[in-house]
């Protein structure tokens, strides 16, 4: 395995790093504690990204993207995650919130939904989670009942990021036809479809604000089903695997910034006649953080390398999410401890980074769920003890 990034990817990484420092970090004071940025600010940043050739860097070239692959996506996402604004961590200023589901649609669906999102003309959201169903689909209660050339959707989704701004939703529901359960399917539902509406929003400990989506006899044309009936969970798992993998670089960017702040403060702050950097307790916290960051980064790049080659990375994605998100909590916690009382102050971004880090061990599958996935893969006999080898 070649651990050196290709020259083009290094150039992209460095260019995005400059973009973050020049365009995004100056906005942090205004929007760090907001769940979103104004549409005009987003559009301005997207236009700059397009001018610089960054836009949709992670999407395939056939839909107008940069085609940098999963490794490239992870490298760029790590740079973007250094900025303490939810929308930049998403990160919808450089690429659309899309996911892999729409690539499985028909040509007509791609023309009407995939390509407009890829161009930045439409926005979408992913509606899977329900009050009784998240990573476990067996509790899903939203139904889609066949009625002539339509399906009628009833039910509710919760914690749906971006539902308030989405032009259409990717909705998962238990499909029923002629009284027979066909499994979970995915439907593309336009925002103005009668019967679909926003419910309450959820104020979380981090600035993110997901929404409830309600469905009351929502009639959706049958040709808005993605793939075939019953294929929905397969599509959802593909979305979740990629979503869990990219938790890794997002955690890396945040943790690296926290560590950089801790190192700088330890070198400049003195107590009892000595810099903090001379204290063994501080040195050990710095060393532990460096080792954990290195381990997490290696895991991310290995999983991304497998994804780029079309290899199964299901367990690797869970391992990345589990380790990187918990690593982030530890690194930010140490950085706060090194800063002392200043670390608790909102004058620094560390307290917000800690709140955000704590929420990440629950979103897109809790740490406990990731441990269940990894353990079941090992204990079932499907994978040997060397499952994570290349």
């Amino acid at each position: 395995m070649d651990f050196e990034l290709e020259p083009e990817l290094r150039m992209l990484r460095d260019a995005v790093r400059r973009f973050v420092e020049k365009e995004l970090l100056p906005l942090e004071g205004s929007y760090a504690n907001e769940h979103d940025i104004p549409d005009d600010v987003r559009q301005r940043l997207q236009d700059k990204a397009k001018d610089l050739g960054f836009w949709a860097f992670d999407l395939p070239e056939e839909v107008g993207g940069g085609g940098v692959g999963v490794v490239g996506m992870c490298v760029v996402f790590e740079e973007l995650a250094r900025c303490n604004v939810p929308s930049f961590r998403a990160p919808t200023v450089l690429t659309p919130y899309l996911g892999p589901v729409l690539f499985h649609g028909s040509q007509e669906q791609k023309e009407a939904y995939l390509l407009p999102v890829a161009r930045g003309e439409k926005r979408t959201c992913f509606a899977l989670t329900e009050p009784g169903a998240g990573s476990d689909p067996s509790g899903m209660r939203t139904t889609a009942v066949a009625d002539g050339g339509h399906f009628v959707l009833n039910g509710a989704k919760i914690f749906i990021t971006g539902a308030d701004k989405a032009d259409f939703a990717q909705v998962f529901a238990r499909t029923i036809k002629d009284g027979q359960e066909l499994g979970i399917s995915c439907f593309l539902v336009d925002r103005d479809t009668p019967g679909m509406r926003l419910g309450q929003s959820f104020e979380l400990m981090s600035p993110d604000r997901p929404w409830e989506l309600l469905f009351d006899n929502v009639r959706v044309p049958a040709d808005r089903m993605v793939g075939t009936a019953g294929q929905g969970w397969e599509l959802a798992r593909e979305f979740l695997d990629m979503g869990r993998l990219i938790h890794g670089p997002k955690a890396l960017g945040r943790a690296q910034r926290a560590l950089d702040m801790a190192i700088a403060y330890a070198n400049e702050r003195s107590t009892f006649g000595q810099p903090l950097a001379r204290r063994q307790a501080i040195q050990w916290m710095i060393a532990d953080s460096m080792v954990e960051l290195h381990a997490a980064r290696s895991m991310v790049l290995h999983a991304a390398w497998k994804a780029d080659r079309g290899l199964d990375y299901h367990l690797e994605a869970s391992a990345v999410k589990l380790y990187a998100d918990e690593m982030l909590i530890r690194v930010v916690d140490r950085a706060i401890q090194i800063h002392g009382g200043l670390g608790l102050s909102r004058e620094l971004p560390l307290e917000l980074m800690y709140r955000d880090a704590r929420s990440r061990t629950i979103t897109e599958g809790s740490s406990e769920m990731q441990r269940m996935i990894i353990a079941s893969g090992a204990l079932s006999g499907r994978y040997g003890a060397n499952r994570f080898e290349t």
Side-chain angles (χ1 to χ4, degrees):
M1 181 186 298
D2 187 355
F3 287 93
E4 184 177 10
L5 294 178
E6 296 180 357
E8 294 81 3
L9 189 51
R10 290 202 304 272
M11 290 175 59
L12 175 61
R13 177 199 61 194
D14 295 343
V16 171
R17 184 174 296 172
R18 292 191 295 270
F19 183 83
V20 170
E21 292 173 352
K22 181 180 178 181
E23 303 291 346
L24 304 188
L25 286 175
L27 300 175
E28 194 173 75
S30 300
Y31 302 114
N33 278 288
E34 300 295 329
H35 75 281
D36 204 352
I37 56 175
D39 288 340
D40 61 328
V41 175
R42 183 190 305 278
Q43 189 61 56
R44 175 173 60 82
L45 293 170
Q46 287 183 352
D47 290 343
K48 287 189 176 182
K50 291 176 181 178
D51 290 341
L52 293 169
F54 295 160
W55 176 252
F57 62 90
D58 58 318
L59 297 185
E61 294 179 356
E62 56 264 30
V63 297
V68 300
V70 183
V71 169
M73 177 181 65
C74 289
V75 169
V76 174
F77 276 17
E78 178 178 342
E79 296 300 323
L80 286 167
R82 292 171 53 230
C83 189
N84 229 358
V85 177
S87 292
F88 301 157
R89 299 195 304 272
T92 56
V93 296
L94 290 195
T95 191
Y97 178 78
L98 181 56
V101 172
L102 295 179
F103 289 95
H104 295 275
S106 65
Q107 187 58 42
E108 292 75 13
Q109 290 171 344
K110 291 177 180 178
E111 292 287 343
Y113 294 98
L114 171 62
L115 294 180
V117 174
R119 292 191 294 262
E121 299 165 359
K122 285 186 176 183
R123 295 170 68 176
T124 186
C125 65
F126 187 83
L128 174 68
T129 303
E130 298 185 5
S135 300
D136 176 10
S138 64
M140 186 173 293
R141 294 292 176 264
T142 299
T143 58
V145 179
D147 182 18
H150 290 75
F151 284 88
V152 181
L153 274 62
N154 283 282
K157 303 289 183 178
I158 60 171
F159 300 133
I160 308 304
T161 301
D164 58 324
K165 298 290 185 67
D167 295 289
F168 67 95
Q170 303 170 52
V171 183
F172 293 79
R174 290 170 43 229
T175 313
I176 302 170
K177 186 173 184 179
D178 298 327
Q180 180 181 0
E181 289 258 5
L182 302 179
I184 294 172
S185 304
C186 178
F187 298 87
L188 305 178
V189 186
D190 293 325
R191 178 174 57 188
D192 57 358
T193 304
M196 183 174 76
R197 63 181 178 86
L198 287 175
Q200 66 173 317
S201 63
F202 298 89
E203 297 289 343
L204 305 182
M205 62 188 298
S206 67
D208 299 315
R209 184 186 295 172
W211 290 81
E212 180 183 35
L213 266 179
L214 303 175
F215 303 88
D216 183 10
N217 291 321
V218 178
R219 295 183 63 83
V220 180
D223 62 8
R224 302 290 172 82
M225 178 190 292
V226 181
T228 59
Q231 191 184 358
W233 184 243
E234 178 184 338
L235 298 174
R237 202 188 87 161
E238 185 177 352
F239 179 92
L240 291 172
D241 281 348
M242 184 57 66
R244 288 164 181 168
L245 173 55
I246 63 176
H247 263 244
K250 293 177 183 180
L252 288 171
R254 316 283 282 162
Q256 187 65 61
R257 184 178 177 191
L259 177 58
D260 291 343
M261 292 177 63
I263 292 172
Y265 189 76
N267 279 318
E268 67 186 34
R269 175 80 163 97
S270 293
T271 60
F272 303 103
Q274 282 192 333
L276 286 180
R278 298 285 297 275
R279 309 290 185 187
Q280 186 182 69
I282 303 300
Q283 293 174 354
W284 286 16
M285 284 193 276
I286 296 294
D288 287 345
S289 294
M290 288 191 66
V291 169
E292 291 188 68
L293 264 163
H294 175 63
R297 189 172 284 115
S298 298
M299 291 175 67
V300 167
L301 293 176
H302 175 243
W305 178 87
K306 293 191 75 172
D308 273 336
R309 281 151 182 78
L311 302 173
D312 179 16
Y313 68 99
H314 178 58
L315 293 193
E316 284 85 350
S318 287
V320 164
K321 186 187 184 305
L322 169 64
Y323 185 78
D325 282 349
E326 294 192 351
M327 174 276 299
L328 175 59
I329 292 178
R330 293 190 293 269
V331 172
V332 175
D333 182 73
R334 294 182 192 120
I336 291 174
Q337 195 72 18
I338 290 170
H339 281 81
L342 186 60
L344 303 175
S345 167
R346 292 196 172 183
E347 295 299 313
L348 296 181
L350 291 171
E351 62 86 24
L352 175 56
M353 292 168 72
Y354 190 83
R355 286 189 278 129
D356 178 68
R358 184 61 187 86
S359 71
R360 294 172 64 83
T361 60
I362 294 175
T363 58
E364 284 197 269
S366 66
S367 290
E368 292 75 18
M369 178 57 68
Q370 306 316 314
R371 287 183 169 93
M372 288 175 60
I373 291 171
I374 296 166
S376 65
L379 294 170
S380 67
R382 287 178 292 150
Y383 306 111
N386 62 347
R387 172 61 179 90
F388 296 123
E389 290 186 2
T390 56

